[in-house]
Amino acid sequence: MSGHSGTYRLYHYWRSSSSWRVRLALHQKGIPYEPVPVSLLDGTSESPAHLERNPAGFVPVLEIPGQEPRRLTESLAILLYLEDSHPGTQRLLPEDPYLKARCWALAETINAGIQPIQNLPVLHRHSSDSEEQKAWAKHFIRKGLEVYETLCAPIRDRFSVGDQPTLADFCLSPQLYNADRFQVDWSDLPHLVAIEKACRELPAWNESHPDRFKPHDFKG
Ligand SMILES: N[C@@H](CCC(=O)N[C@@H](CS)C(=O)NCC(=O)O)C(=O)O
């Protein structure tokens, strides 16, 4: 039971890896939602309307319908909310406390250890030279993926933690998409290669893929 009537609204950007984490969870859990695009490139994310939704100017933001709509920022907090508010749906966290914490650690390896360092505002602050921005991003993405590879080794099966997808996978796969954008080679990390293969076989992966949300007039 979600405890409300109406449809969730997800403020997101098609190519944002943090947004894709939430789309993955919504599709995997079969929760209907209305996607609302917020461009990170044309100033929309810094508009007063969006800053009211999220003072960081970031996506995703999940709006919970109701008489007074409530909003959530931070993708991991959103995933936790969806997990706790929809108990009858596919679980994204293991029940075992140790594995649950290991799963969260994998998610944070990406959420705290990689994504913020390769986020656009950090790249722009680091350098105005696009090659230098790319080199910076590649360095931290590769290092973080190596950490993930080592951390998941003893607990993985088809997915990062056992044989069911968890929120760790829903952080990993979008980060691998970013790794490809920055031309980071991860083909020598066998656990990641196998887990990504399993993720791509999930219907939710295809349904939530960035290409499905790409604006028709996008050039770049
Ligand atoms: N930890 C936050 C990170 C949110 C974040 O950094 N989102 C990026 C897109 S993936 C963003 O909105 N960046 C703003 C920008 O690029 O200007 C979360 O998980 O929601």
Side-chain angles (χ1 to χ4, degrees), residues 13 15-22 39-41 45-46 50 54 56-61 73-78 111-112 115-116 118-121 124 178:
Y13 181 61
R15 208 156 57 168
S16 142
S17 60
S18 309
S19 299
W20 192 10
R21 296 172 191 167
V22 178
S39 174
L40 300 180
L41 303 182
S45 60
E46 292 296 326
H50 191 65
N54 183 348
F58 289 170
V59 287
V61 175
T73 59
E74 288 295 335
S75 61
L76 288 189
I78 296 170
N111 181 56
Q115 187 275 337
Q118 53 104 93
N119 204 8
L120 274 183
H124 291 152
N178 274 0

PDB file of all heavy atoms in Angstrom, residues 13 15-22 39-41 45-46 50 54 56-61 73-78 111-112 115-116 118-121 124 178, ligand 1:
ATOM      1  N   TYR A  13      16.061  13.808 -15.673  1.00  0.00           N
ATOM      2  CA  TYR A  13      16.694  14.142 -16.946  1.00  0.00           C
ATOM      3  C   TYR A  13      17.064  12.821 -17.601  1.00  0.00           C
ATOM      4  O   TYR A  13      17.574  11.911 -16.920  1.00  0.00           O
ATOM      5  CB  TYR A  13      17.926  15.019 -16.707  1.00  0.00           C
ATOM      6  CG  TYR A  13      18.642  15.443 -17.961  1.00  0.00           C
ATOM      7  CD1 TYR A  13      17.991  16.211 -18.931  1.00  0.00           C
ATOM      8  CD2 TYR A  13      19.964  15.073 -18.198  1.00  0.00           C
ATOM      9  CE1 TYR A  13      18.642  16.603 -20.087  1.00  0.00           C
ATOM     10  CE2 TYR A  13      20.623  15.469 -19.351  1.00  0.00           C
ATOM     11  CZ  TYR A  13      19.957  16.229 -20.295  1.00  0.00           C
ATOM     12  OH  TYR A  13      20.607  16.617 -21.440  1.00  0.00           O
ATOM     13  N   ARG A  15      19.384  11.573 -19.370  1.00  0.00           N
ATOM     14  CA  ARG A  15      20.733  11.006 -19.333  1.00  0.00           C
ATOM     15  C   ARG A  15      21.342  11.025 -17.931  1.00  0.00           C
ATOM     16  O   ARG A  15      22.494  10.669 -17.759  1.00  0.00           O
ATOM     17  CB  ARG A  15      21.612  11.805 -20.301  1.00  0.00           C
ATOM     18  CG  ARG A  15      22.728  11.035 -20.883  1.00  0.00           C
ATOM     19  CD  ARG A  15      23.194  11.596 -22.191  1.00  0.00           C
ATOM     20  NE  ARG A  15      23.600  12.981 -22.115  1.00  0.00           N
ATOM     21  CZ  ARG A  15      24.256  13.604 -23.080  1.00  0.00           C
ATOM     22  NH1 ARG A  15      24.589  12.962 -24.175  1.00  0.00           N
ATOM     23  NH2 ARG A  15      24.577  14.869 -22.979  1.00  0.00           N
ATOM     24  N   SER A  16      20.578  11.487 -16.945  1.00  0.00           N
ATOM     25  CA  SER A  16      21.098  11.547 -15.569  1.00  0.00           C
ATOM     26  C   SER A  16      21.119  10.144 -14.964  1.00  0.00           C
ATOM     27  O   SER A  16      20.089   9.455 -14.908  1.00  0.00           O
ATOM     28  CB  SER A  16      20.194  12.475 -14.747  1.00  0.00           C
ATOM     29  OG  SER A  16      20.021  11.997 -13.439  1.00  0.00           O
ATOM     30  N   SER A  17      22.293   9.741 -14.497  1.00  0.00           N
ATOM     31  CA  SER A  17      22.399   8.381 -13.941  1.00  0.00           C
ATOM     32  C   SER A  17      21.602   8.254 -12.645  1.00  0.00           C
ATOM     33  O   SER A  17      21.025   7.201 -12.362  1.00  0.00           O
ATOM     34  CB  SER A  17      23.863   8.002 -13.721  1.00  0.00           C
ATOM     35  OG  SER A  17      24.493   8.894 -12.830  1.00  0.00           O
ATOM     36  N   SER A  18      21.555   9.332 -11.855  1.00  0.00           N
ATOM     37  CA  SER A  18      20.782   9.265 -10.600  1.00  0.00           C
ATOM     38  C   SER A  18      19.286   9.129 -10.896  1.00  0.00           C
ATOM     39  O   SER A  18      18.557   8.456 -10.169  1.00  0.00           O
ATOM     40  CB  SER A  18      21.037  10.502  -9.746  1.00  0.00           C
ATOM     41  OG  SER A  18      22.406  10.722  -9.590  1.00  0.00           O
ATOM     42  N   SER A  19      18.835   9.791 -11.965  1.00  0.00           N
ATOM     43  CA  SER A  19      17.429   9.661 -12.359  1.00  0.00           C
ATOM     44  C   SER A  19      17.130   8.246 -12.829  1.00  0.00           C
ATOM     45  O   SER A  19      16.069   7.683 -12.526  1.00  0.00           O
ATOM     46  CB  SER A  19      17.100  10.625 -13.512  1.00  0.00           C
ATOM     47  OG  SER A  19      17.295  11.956 -13.149  1.00  0.00           O
ATOM     48  N   TRP A  20      18.075   7.679 -13.568  1.00  0.00           N
ATOM     49  CA  TRP A  20      17.839   6.326 -14.088  1.00  0.00           C
ATOM     50  C   TRP A  20      17.710   5.316 -12.956  1.00  0.00           C
ATOM     51  O   TRP A  20      16.938   4.362 -13.028  1.00  0.00           O
ATOM     52  CB  TRP A  20      18.939   5.937 -15.090  1.00  0.00           C
ATOM     53  CG  TRP A  20      18.623   4.693 -15.866  1.00  0.00           C
ATOM     54  CD1 TRP A  20      17.423   4.032 -15.906  1.00  0.00           C
ATOM     55  CD2 TRP A  20      19.504   3.963 -16.720  1.00  0.00           C
ATOM     56  NE1 TRP A  20      17.516   2.927 -16.725  1.00  0.00           N
ATOM     57  CE2 TRP A  20      18.776   2.858 -17.235  1.00  0.00           C
ATOM     58  CE3 TRP A  20      20.843   4.132 -17.099  1.00  0.00           C
ATOM     59  CZ2 TRP A  20      19.346   1.933 -18.101  1.00  0.00           C
ATOM     60  CZ3 TRP A  20      21.407   3.205 -17.965  1.00  0.00           C
ATOM     61  CH2 TRP A  20      20.665   2.122 -18.471  1.00  0.00           C
ATOM     62  N   ARG A  21      18.451   5.521 -11.857  1.00  0.00           N
ATOM     63  CA  ARG A  21      18.305   4.615 -10.699  1.00  0.00           C
ATOM     64  C   ARG A  21      16.838   4.527 -10.283  1.00  0.00           C
ATOM     65  O   ARG A  21      16.306   3.459 -10.006  1.00  0.00           O
ATOM     66  CB  ARG A  21      19.094   5.158  -9.495  1.00  0.00           C
ATOM     67  CG  ARG A  21      20.578   5.238  -9.682  1.00  0.00           C
ATOM     68  CD  ARG A  21      21.196   5.984  -8.499  1.00  0.00           C
ATOM     69  NE  ARG A  21      22.586   6.326  -8.744  1.00  0.00           N
ATOM     70  CZ  ARG A  21      23.277   7.177  -8.003  1.00  0.00           C
ATOM     71  NH1 ARG A  21      22.723   7.782  -6.973  1.00  0.00           N
ATOM     72  NH2 ARG A  21      24.534   7.437  -8.297  1.00  0.00           N
ATOM     73  N   VAL A  22      16.188   5.704 -10.211  1.00  0.00           N
ATOM     74  CA  VAL A  22      14.805   5.746  -9.727  1.00  0.00           C
ATOM     75  C   VAL A  22      13.849   5.177 -10.776  1.00  0.00           C
ATOM     76  O   VAL A  22      12.926   4.425 -10.440  1.00  0.00           O
ATOM     77  CB  VAL A  22      14.412   7.183  -9.324  1.00  0.00           C
ATOM     78  CG1 VAL A  22      12.960   7.238  -8.879  1.00  0.00           C
ATOM     79  CG2 VAL A  22      15.336   7.697  -8.218  1.00  0.00           C
ATOM     80  N   SER A  39      15.671  19.821 -17.893  1.00  0.00           N
ATOM     81  CA  SER A  39      16.950  19.857 -18.606  1.00  0.00           C
ATOM     82  C   SER A  39      18.070  20.352 -17.696  1.00  0.00           C
ATOM     83  O   SER A  39      17.907  21.315 -16.959  1.00  0.00           O
ATOM     84  CB  SER A  39      16.853  20.759 -19.836  1.00  0.00           C
ATOM     85  OG  SER A  39      18.140  20.879 -20.408  1.00  0.00           O
ATOM     86  N   LEU A  40      19.210  19.672 -17.770  1.00  0.00           N
ATOM     87  CA  LEU A  40      20.400  20.117 -17.034  1.00  0.00           C
ATOM     88  C   LEU A  40      21.248  21.039 -17.903  1.00  0.00           C
ATOM     89  O   LEU A  40      22.264  21.545 -17.448  1.00  0.00           O
ATOM     90  CB  LEU A  40      21.247  18.905 -16.620  1.00  0.00           C
ATOM     91  CG  LEU A  40      20.586  17.872 -15.714  1.00  0.00           C
ATOM     92  CD1 LEU A  40      21.557  16.734 -15.400  1.00  0.00           C
ATOM     93  CD2 LEU A  40      20.090  18.518 -14.426  1.00  0.00           C
ATOM     94  N   LEU A  41      20.811  21.234 -19.160  1.00  0.00           N
ATOM     95  CA  LEU A  41      21.671  21.956 -20.108  1.00  0.00           C
ATOM     96  C   LEU A  41      21.169  23.358 -20.447  1.00  0.00           C
ATOM     97  O   LEU A  41      21.948  24.204 -20.865  1.00  0.00           O
ATOM     98  CB  LEU A  41      21.804  21.157 -21.416  1.00  0.00           C
ATOM     99  CG  LEU A  41      22.343  19.731 -21.283  1.00  0.00           C
ATOM    100  CD1 LEU A  41      22.458  19.078 -22.650  1.00  0.00           C
ATOM    101  CD2 LEU A  41      23.703  19.743 -20.581  1.00  0.00           C
ATOM    102  N   SER A  45      17.123  23.419 -14.729  1.00  0.00           N
ATOM    103  CA  SER A  45      17.392  22.842 -13.395  1.00  0.00           C
ATOM    104  C   SER A  45      17.770  23.918 -12.373  1.00  0.00           C
ATOM    105  O   SER A  45      17.703  23.678 -11.174  1.00  0.00           O
ATOM    106  CB  SER A  45      18.484  21.775 -13.483  1.00  0.00           C
ATOM    107  OG  SER A  45      19.666  22.341 -13.984  1.00  0.00           O
ATOM    108  N   GLU A  46      18.156  25.105 -12.865  1.00  0.00           N
ATOM    109  CA  GLU A  46      18.501  26.214 -11.958  1.00  0.00           C
ATOM    110  C   GLU A  46      17.370  27.235 -11.862  1.00  0.00           C
ATOM    111  O   GLU A  46      17.546  28.306 -11.283  1.00  0.00           O
ATOM    112  CB  GLU A  46      19.786  26.907 -12.442  1.00  0.00           C
ATOM    113  CG  GLU A  46      21.042  26.044 -12.308  1.00  0.00           C
ATOM    114  CD  GLU A  46      21.376  25.714 -10.851  1.00  0.00           C
ATOM    115  OE1 GLU A  46      21.125  26.562  -9.983  1.00  0.00           O
ATOM    116  OE2 GLU A  46      21.873  24.585 -10.605  1.00  0.00           O
ATOM    117  N   HIS A  50      12.398  24.861 -10.189  1.00  0.00           N
ATOM    118  CA  HIS A  50      13.082  23.610  -9.842  1.00  0.00           C
ATOM    119  C   HIS A  50      13.857  23.731  -8.529  1.00  0.00           C
ATOM    120  O   HIS A  50      13.926  22.765  -7.757  1.00  0.00           O
ATOM    121  CB  HIS A  50      13.992  23.112 -10.967  1.00  0.00           C
ATOM    122  CG  HIS A  50      14.479  21.711 -10.698  1.00  0.00           C
ATOM    123  ND1 HIS A  50      13.620  20.628 -10.653  1.00  0.00           N
ATOM    124  CD2 HIS A  50      15.692  21.225 -10.361  1.00  0.00           C
ATOM    125  CE1 HIS A  50      14.294  19.540 -10.324  1.00  0.00           C
ATOM    126  NE2 HIS A  50      15.560  19.876 -10.137  1.00  0.00           N
ATOM    127  N   ASN A  54      14.129  21.221  -5.459  1.00  0.00           N
ATOM    128  CA  ASN A  54      15.407  20.713  -4.934  1.00  0.00           C
ATOM    129  C   ASN A  54      16.401  21.880  -4.896  1.00  0.00           C
ATOM    130  O   ASN A  54      16.867  22.333  -5.948  1.00  0.00           O
ATOM    131  CB  ASN A  54      15.946  19.589  -5.826  1.00  0.00           C
ATOM    132  CG  ASN A  54      17.231  18.988  -5.263  1.00  0.00           C
ATOM    133  OD1 ASN A  54      17.829  19.548  -4.337  1.00  0.00           O
ATOM    134  ND2 ASN A  54      17.655  17.872  -5.812  1.00  0.00           N
ATOM    135  N   ALA A  56      19.364  22.027  -4.444  1.00  0.00           N
ATOM    136  CA  ALA A  56      20.656  21.745  -5.080  1.00  0.00           C
ATOM    137  C   ALA A  56      20.584  21.927  -6.601  1.00  0.00           C
ATOM    138  O   ALA A  56      21.612  21.963  -7.275  1.00  0.00           O
ATOM    139  CB  ALA A  56      21.096  20.319  -4.751  1.00  0.00           C
ATOM    140  N   GLY A  57      19.372  22.036  -7.125  1.00  0.00           N
ATOM    141  CA  GLY A  57      19.224  22.133  -8.578  1.00  0.00           C
ATOM    142  C   GLY A  57      19.488  20.800  -9.272  1.00  0.00           C
ATOM    143  O   GLY A  57      19.794  20.765 -10.459  1.00  0.00           O
ATOM    144  N   PHE A  58      19.363  19.713  -8.532  1.00  0.00           N
ATOM    145  CA  PHE A  58      19.655  18.381  -9.080  1.00  0.00           C
ATOM    146  C   PHE A  58      18.362  17.627  -9.379  1.00  0.00           C
ATOM    147  O   PHE A  58      17.298  17.912  -8.823  1.00  0.00           O
ATOM    148  CB  PHE A  58      20.455  17.543  -8.074  1.00  0.00           C
ATOM    149  CG  PHE A  58      21.885  17.974  -7.859  1.00  0.00           C
ATOM    150  CD1 PHE A  58      22.636  17.417  -6.826  1.00  0.00           C
ATOM    151  CD2 PHE A  58      22.495  18.918  -8.674  1.00  0.00           C
ATOM    152  CE1 PHE A  58      23.961  17.790  -6.621  1.00  0.00           C
ATOM    153  CE2 PHE A  58      23.822  19.307  -8.478  1.00  0.00           C
ATOM    154  CZ  PHE A  58      24.556  18.729  -7.438  1.00  0.00           C
ATOM    155  N   VAL A  59      18.497  16.629 -10.214  1.00  0.00           N
ATOM    156  CA  VAL A  59      17.475  15.595 -10.382  1.00  0.00           C
ATOM    157  C   VAL A  59      18.099  14.291  -9.914  1.00  0.00           C
ATOM    158  O   VAL A  59      19.330  14.174  -9.922  1.00  0.00           O
ATOM    159  CB  VAL A  59      17.017  15.480 -11.853  1.00  0.00           C
ATOM    160  CG1 VAL A  59      16.156  16.646 -12.249  1.00  0.00           C
ATOM    161  CG2 VAL A  59      18.203  15.331 -12.822  1.00  0.00           C
ATOM    162  N   PRO A  60      17.281  13.344  -9.489  1.00  0.00           N
ATOM    163  CA  PRO A  60      15.824  13.274  -9.531  1.00  0.00           C
ATOM    164  C   PRO A  60      15.159  13.924  -8.314  1.00  0.00           C
ATOM    165  O   PRO A  60      15.782  14.093  -7.260  1.00  0.00           O
ATOM    166  CB  PRO A  60      15.567  11.770  -9.498  1.00  0.00           C
ATOM    167  CG  PRO A  60      16.670  11.229  -8.630  1.00  0.00           C
ATOM    168  CD  PRO A  60      17.871  12.080  -8.967  1.00  0.00           C
ATOM    169  N   VAL A  61      13.847  14.244  -8.530  1.00  0.00           N
ATOM    170  CA  VAL A  61      12.952  14.611  -7.429  1.00  0.00           C
ATOM    171  C   VAL A  61      11.679  13.783  -7.624  1.00  0.00           C
ATOM    172  O   VAL A  61      11.139  13.753  -8.738  1.00  0.00           O
ATOM    173  CB  VAL A  61      12.592  16.107  -7.459  1.00  0.00           C
ATOM    174  CG1 VAL A  61      11.563  16.432  -6.378  1.00  0.00           C
ATOM    175  CG2 VAL A  61      13.830  16.983  -7.302  1.00  0.00           C
ATOM    176  N   THR A  73      14.074  14.295  -2.431  1.00  0.00           N
ATOM    177  CA  THR A  73      15.303  14.405  -3.220  1.00  0.00           C
ATOM    178  C   THR A  73      16.224  13.247  -2.830  1.00  0.00           C
ATOM    179  O   THR A  73      15.918  12.499  -1.900  1.00  0.00           O
ATOM    180  CB  THR A  73      16.024  15.735  -2.942  1.00  0.00           C
ATOM    181  OG1 THR A  73      16.332  15.797  -1.536  1.00  0.00           O
ATOM    182  CG2 THR A  73      15.160  16.927  -3.310  1.00  0.00           C
ATOM    183  N   GLU A  74      17.344  13.136  -3.504  1.00  0.00           N
ATOM    184  CA  GLU A  74      18.375  12.109  -3.266  1.00  0.00           C
ATOM    185  C   GLU A  74      17.851  10.728  -3.670  1.00  0.00           C
ATOM    186  O   GLU A  74      16.974  10.152  -3.017  1.00  0.00           O
ATOM    187  CB  GLU A  74      18.866  12.091  -1.804  1.00  0.00           C
ATOM    188  CG  GLU A  74      19.734  13.277  -1.446  1.00  0.00           C
ATOM    189  CD  GLU A  74      21.068  13.298  -2.211  1.00  0.00           C
ATOM    190  OE1 GLU A  74      21.539  12.236  -2.643  1.00  0.00           O
ATOM    191  OE2 GLU A  74      21.614  14.390  -2.390  1.00  0.00           O
ATOM    192  N   SER A  75      18.451  10.199  -4.716  1.00  0.00           N
ATOM    193  CA  SER A  75      17.916   8.955  -5.289  1.00  0.00           C
ATOM    194  C   SER A  75      17.896   7.795  -4.293  1.00  0.00           C
ATOM    195  O   SER A  75      16.948   7.010  -4.297  1.00  0.00           O
ATOM    196  CB  SER A  75      18.712   8.565  -6.536  1.00  0.00           C
ATOM    197  OG  SER A  75      20.064   8.345  -6.216  1.00  0.00           O
ATOM    198  N   LEU A  76      18.895   7.680  -3.436  1.00  0.00           N
ATOM    199  CA  LEU A  76      18.872   6.537  -2.508  1.00  0.00           C
ATOM    200  C   LEU A  76      17.741   6.681  -1.494  1.00  0.00           C
ATOM    201  O   LEU A  76      17.112   5.687  -1.105  1.00  0.00           O
ATOM    202  CB  LEU A  76      20.215   6.366  -1.800  1.00  0.00           C
ATOM    203  CG  LEU A  76      21.372   5.849  -2.656  1.00  0.00           C
ATOM    204  CD1 LEU A  76      22.582   5.509  -1.791  1.00  0.00           C
ATOM    205  CD2 LEU A  76      20.962   4.632  -3.463  1.00  0.00           C
ATOM    206  N   ALA A  77      17.471   7.908  -1.067  1.00  0.00           N
ATOM    207  CA  ALA A  77      16.345   8.130  -0.160  1.00  0.00           C
ATOM    208  C   ALA A  77      15.029   7.801  -0.867  1.00  0.00           C
ATOM    209  O   ALA A  77      14.106   7.228  -0.273  1.00  0.00           O
ATOM    210  CB  ALA A  77      16.344   9.581   0.325  1.00  0.00           C
ATOM    211  N   ILE A  78      14.959   8.145  -2.146  1.00  0.00           N
ATOM    212  CA  ILE A  78      13.751   7.842  -2.926  1.00  0.00           C
ATOM    213  C   ILE A  78      13.580   6.321  -3.057  1.00  0.00           C
ATOM    214  O   ILE A  78      12.481   5.786  -2.872  1.00  0.00           O
ATOM    215  CB  ILE A  78      13.814   8.519  -4.320  1.00  0.00           C
ATOM    216  CG1 ILE A  78      13.816  10.050  -4.172  1.00  0.00           C
ATOM    217  CG2 ILE A  78      12.665   8.056  -5.199  1.00  0.00           C
ATOM    218  CD1 ILE A  78      14.103  10.811  -5.456  1.00  0.00           C
ATOM    219  N   ASN A 111      27.181   6.177  -5.406  1.00  0.00           N
ATOM    220  CA  ASN A 111      26.448   7.411  -5.086  1.00  0.00           C
ATOM    221  C   ASN A 111      27.344   8.472  -4.441  1.00  0.00           C
ATOM    222  O   ASN A 111      27.195   9.658  -4.703  1.00  0.00           O
ATOM    223  CB  ASN A 111      25.285   7.070  -4.152  1.00  0.00           C
ATOM    224  CG  ASN A 111      24.458   8.278  -3.785  1.00  0.00           C
ATOM    225  OD1 ASN A 111      23.954   8.972  -4.664  1.00  0.00           O
ATOM    226  ND2 ASN A 111      24.332   8.559  -2.502  1.00  0.00           N
ATOM    227  N   ALA A 112      28.265   8.023  -3.568  1.00  0.00           N
ATOM    228  CA  ALA A 112      29.140   8.976  -2.880  1.00  0.00           C
ATOM    229  C   ALA A 112      30.550   8.975  -3.465  1.00  0.00           C
ATOM    230  O   ALA A 112      31.216   9.998  -3.460  1.00  0.00           O
ATOM    231  CB  ALA A 112      29.215   8.633  -1.384  1.00  0.00           C
ATOM    232  N   GLN A 115      29.779   9.167  -8.593  1.00  0.00           N
ATOM    233  CA  GLN A 115      28.895  10.086  -9.326  1.00  0.00           C
ATOM    234  C   GLN A 115      29.122  11.566  -9.003  1.00  0.00           C
ATOM    235  O   GLN A 115      29.208  12.386  -9.925  1.00  0.00           O
ATOM    236  CB  GLN A 115      27.426   9.670  -9.119  1.00  0.00           C
ATOM    237  CG  GLN A 115      26.426  10.439  -9.970  1.00  0.00           C
ATOM    238  CD  GLN A 115      25.987  11.753  -9.338  1.00  0.00           C
ATOM    239  OE1 GLN A 115      26.074  11.907  -8.118  1.00  0.00           O
ATOM    240  NE2 GLN A 115      25.552  12.698 -10.153  1.00  0.00           N
ATOM    241  N   PRO A 116      29.278  11.935  -7.700  1.00  0.00           N
ATOM    242  CA  PRO A 116      29.429  13.382  -7.442  1.00  0.00           C
ATOM    243  C   PRO A 116      30.703  13.963  -8.053  1.00  0.00           C
ATOM    244  O   PRO A 116      30.731  15.130  -8.432  1.00  0.00           O
ATOM    245  CB  PRO A 116      29.497  13.472  -5.906  1.00  0.00           C
ATOM    246  CG  PRO A 116      29.010  12.162  -5.398  1.00  0.00           C
ATOM    247  CD  PRO A 116      29.254  11.148  -6.466  1.00  0.00           C
ATOM    248  N   GLN A 118      32.124  13.095 -10.840  1.00  0.00           N
ATOM    249  CA  GLN A 118      32.039  13.244 -12.297  1.00  0.00           C
ATOM    250  C   GLN A 118      30.774  13.994 -12.723  1.00  0.00           C
ATOM    251  O   GLN A 118      30.416  13.999 -13.886  1.00  0.00           O
ATOM    252  CB  GLN A 118      32.144  11.881 -12.991  1.00  0.00           C
ATOM    253  CG  GLN A 118      31.163  10.838 -12.466  1.00  0.00           C
ATOM    254  CD  GLN A 118      29.996  10.586 -13.375  1.00  0.00           C
ATOM    255  OE1 GLN A 118      30.069   9.681 -14.183  1.00  0.00           O
ATOM    256  NE2 GLN A 118      28.916  11.359 -13.261  1.00  0.00           N
ATOM    257  N   ASN A 119      30.117  14.629 -11.746  1.00  0.00           N
ATOM    258  CA  ASN A 119      28.915  15.407 -12.039  1.00  0.00           C
ATOM    259  C   ASN A 119      29.327  16.693 -12.780  1.00  0.00           C
ATOM    260  O   ASN A 119      30.397  17.242 -12.545  1.00  0.00           O
ATOM    261  CB  ASN A 119      28.210  15.752 -10.712  1.00  0.00           C
ATOM    262  CG  ASN A 119      26.734  16.019 -10.903  1.00  0.00           C
ATOM    263  OD1 ASN A 119      26.177  15.820 -11.981  1.00  0.00           O
ATOM    264  ND2 ASN A 119      26.091  16.480  -9.837  1.00  0.00           N
ATOM    265  N   LEU A 120      28.434  17.153 -13.658  1.00  0.00           N
ATOM    266  CA  LEU A 120      28.767  18.297 -14.521  1.00  0.00           C
ATOM    267  C   LEU A 120      29.302  19.529 -13.777  1.00  0.00           C
ATOM    268  O   LEU A 120      30.336  20.080 -14.167  1.00  0.00           O
ATOM    269  CB  LEU A 120      27.532  18.708 -15.336  1.00  0.00           C
ATOM    270  CG  LEU A 120      27.268  17.999 -16.652  1.00  0.00           C
ATOM    271  CD1 LEU A 120      26.034  18.609 -17.318  1.00  0.00           C
ATOM    272  CD2 LEU A 120      28.475  18.109 -17.567  1.00  0.00           C
ATOM    273  N   PRO A 121      28.629  19.970 -12.668  1.00  0.00           N
ATOM    274  CA  PRO A 121      29.135  21.180 -11.998  1.00  0.00           C
ATOM    275  C   PRO A 121      30.563  21.007 -11.476  1.00  0.00           C
ATOM    276  O   PRO A 121      31.349  21.963 -11.495  1.00  0.00           O
ATOM    277  CB  PRO A 121      28.151  21.389 -10.839  1.00  0.00           C
ATOM    278  CG  PRO A 121      26.907  20.659 -11.241  1.00  0.00           C
ATOM    279  CD  PRO A 121      27.348  19.518 -12.076  1.00  0.00           C
ATOM    280  N   HIS A 124      32.980  21.240 -14.465  1.00  0.00           N
ATOM    281  CA  HIS A 124      33.140  22.628 -14.918  1.00  0.00           C
ATOM    282  C   HIS A 124      33.993  23.434 -13.955  1.00  0.00           C
ATOM    283  O   HIS A 124      34.763  24.302 -14.359  1.00  0.00           O
ATOM    284  CB  HIS A 124      31.772  23.291 -15.112  1.00  0.00           C
ATOM    285  CG  HIS A 124      31.021  22.726 -16.280  1.00  0.00           C
ATOM    286  ND1 HIS A 124      29.649  22.698 -16.363  1.00  0.00           N
ATOM    287  CD2 HIS A 124      31.468  22.119 -17.413  1.00  0.00           C
ATOM    288  CE1 HIS A 124      29.282  22.130 -17.499  1.00  0.00           C
ATOM    289  NE2 HIS A 124      30.361  21.767 -18.142  1.00  0.00           N
ATOM    290  N   ASN A 178      27.401   5.802 -17.769  1.00  0.00           N
ATOM    291  CA  ASN A 178      28.255   6.994 -17.722  1.00  0.00           C
ATOM    292  C   ASN A 178      29.700   6.647 -18.074  1.00  0.00           C
ATOM    293  O   ASN A 178      30.371   7.419 -18.760  1.00  0.00           O
ATOM    294  CB  ASN A 178      28.243   7.617 -16.316  1.00  0.00           C
ATOM    295  CG  ASN A 178      27.099   8.571 -16.122  1.00  0.00           C
ATOM    296  OD1 ASN A 178      26.301   8.778 -17.037  1.00  0.00           O
ATOM    297  ND2 ASN A 178      27.000   9.150 -14.939  1.00  0.00           N
TER     298      ASN A 178
HETATM  299  N1  LIG B   1      23.205  12.192  -4.785  1.00  0.00           N
HETATM  300  C1  LIG B   1      22.226  12.778  -5.666  1.00  0.00           C
HETATM  301  C2  LIG B   1      22.912  13.245  -6.925  1.00  0.00           C
HETATM  302  C3  LIG B   1      21.995  13.996  -7.834  1.00  0.00           C
HETATM  303  C4  LIG B   1      22.778  14.528  -9.021  1.00  0.00           C
HETATM  304  O1  LIG B   1      23.968  14.857  -8.943  1.00  0.00           O
HETATM  305  N2  LIG B   1      22.111  14.584 -10.152  1.00  0.00           N
HETATM  306  C5  LIG B   1      22.772  15.086 -11.324  1.00  0.00           C
HETATM  307  C6  LIG B   1      22.411  14.304 -12.526  1.00  0.00           C
HETATM  308  S1  LIG B   1      22.937  12.633 -12.392  1.00  0.00           S
HETATM  309  C7  LIG B   1      22.392  16.494 -11.538  1.00  0.00           C
HETATM  310  O2  LIG B   1      21.239  16.850 -11.367  1.00  0.00           O
HETATM  311  N3  LIG B   1      23.370  17.313 -11.894  1.00  0.00           N
HETATM  312  C8  LIG B   1      23.166  18.695 -12.100  1.00  0.00           C
HETATM  313  C9  LIG B   1      23.915  19.204 -13.254  1.00  0.00           C
HETATM  314  O3  LIG B   1      24.544  18.420 -13.967  1.00  0.00           O
HETATM  315  O4  LIG B   1      23.861  20.422 -13.462  1.00  0.00           O
HETATM  316  C10 LIG B   1      21.146  11.734  -5.967  1.00  0.00           C
HETATM  317  O5  LIG B   1      21.463  10.548  -5.874  1.00  0.00           O
HETATM  318  O6  LIG B   1      19.995  12.080  -6.258  1.00  0.00           O
END
